[in-house]
Amino acid sequence: MFAFLEAFFVEYGYAAVFFVLVICGFGVPIPEDLTLVTGGVISGMGYTNPHIMFAVGMFGVLVGDGIMFAAGRIWGQKILRFKPIARIMTPKRYEQVQEKFDKYGNWVLFVARFLPGLRTAVFVTAGISRKVSYLRFIIMDGLAALISVPIWIYLGEYGAHNIDWLMAKMHSLQSGIFVILGIGAAVVAWVWWKKRQRIQFYRSKLKEKRAQRKAAKAAKKAERNRQ
């Protein structure tokens, strides 16, 4: 895959990188991380400028993701009948993503940028739900892209002349990202659980106070009736 992308990008430059990133957003099985790294590699080889490649990478990522979000927002659940989308978004996966949104809110959009298997499903679901505005989507996705895109582009540029080292470093970084995300998810889940516990505690206290007020009113009413 790397050799194919490298030859394609060398031949067609920024336009090729942008095109592949956009179709990655559609769920086409081309690793986005590898696409960005390869864009960095051809910059390190002198075919393109790494800073312009970074801008192209950001634009391609946001356009690809944005199209899937907009498609879900415009067509709603009808888009799930579209066969290419149906292959990615099975009913089970759709329910799982909805559950994650209910549990973690808009931060799912941020985390999804680092999860190739769930990225498209999350963005389509966000659009279908209509609970996320276009601006909020761009902000959350853009913040995540500002972390991932420069890492892969500049890593590719730095390791352009040592591909074996580059591939090994890429795999180790991917593993590190998954570990960090796992820890982050555990922390968020713990915070969510504690918040839920506090809400339940306050609700029970409120219910108890209401019952006490109701009992007090009933006692006063009974006292007046006796008088």
Side-chain angles (χ1 to χ4, degrees):
M1 180 64 76
F2 171 77
F4 167 77
L5 289 174
E6 182 183 23
F8 184 48
F9 293 171
V10 167
E11 182 71 21
Y12 298 103
Y14 302 116
V17 176
F18 175 78
F19 170 74
V20 173
L21 287 172
V22 170
I23 65 174
C24 283
F26 295 172
V28 174
I30 299 175
E32 185 181 276
D33 298 347
L34 182 61
T35 301
L36 291 166
V37 166
T38 309
V41 167
I42 68 168
S43 294
M45 294 169 63
Y47 291 100
T48 55
N49 181 288
H51 307 307
I52 297 176
M53 185 61 74
F54 163 59
V56 171
M58 284 292 297
F59 190 48
V61 160
L62 292 177
V63 168
D65 295 346
I67 289 174
M68 298 312 296
F69 172 78
R73 193 173 176 89
I74 292 168
W75 286 293
Q77 294 198 11
K78 292 179 182 178
I79 197 172
L80 300 178
R81 299 183 205 136
F82 185 50
K83 285 187 178 179
I85 298 296
R87 291 194 188 98
I88 302 167
M89 182 75 84
T90 62
K92 183 178 179 181
R93 178 169 286 184
Y94 182 60
E95 288 178 9
Q96 289 174 337
V97 173
Q98 283 186 314
E99 183 183 336
K100 293 290 187 294
F101 265 108
D102 292 339
K103 192 171 183 179
Y104 302 115
N106 293 333
W107 282 103
V108 175
L109 295 171
F110 180 87
V111 175
R113 169 113 298 281
F114 305 97
L115 301 174
L118 283 175
R119 188 181 299 147
T120 302
V122 168
F123 296 155
V124 172
T125 303
I128 292 172
S129 72
R130 294 181 175 270
K131 294 178 181 178
V132 182
S133 67
Y134 285 105
L135 179 60
R136 177 62 63 87
F137 173 79
I138 292 297
I139 289 173
M140 299 303 289
D141 192 37
L143 286 174
L146 280 172
I147 296 173
S148 63
V149 173
I151 286 175
W152 300 125
I153 292 288
Y154 292 114
L155 177 66
E157 182 202 11
Y158 182 79
H161 300 288
N162 191 346
I163 301 302
D164 291 337
W165 174 89
L166 176 61
M167 292 297 114
K169 186 62 67 175
M170 182 179 171
H171 290 310
S172 65
L173 274 173
Q174 286 173 329
S175 299
I177 288 171
F178 288 136
V179 169
I180 292 169
L181 288 176
I183 294 171
V187 171
V188 170
W190 182 80
V191 171
W192 173 82
W193 180 78
K194 293 294 287 184
K195 183 178 178 181
R196 186 182 177 90
Q197 291 293 103
R198 283 198 303 271
I199 291 172
Q200 288 178 342
F201 173 77
Y202 290 131
R203 281 178 178 172
S204 65
K205 285 293 182 182
L206 184 60
K207 188 176 180 180
E208 185 180 324
K209 286 182 179 180
R210 284 174 178 170
Q212 288 173 351
R213 288 196 201 103
K214 189 174 180 180
K217 286 180 181 178
K220 286 180 181 179
K221 187 175 180 181
E223 185 68 25
R224 285 197 299 267
N225 291 337
R226 283 197 297 270
Q227 294 175 353

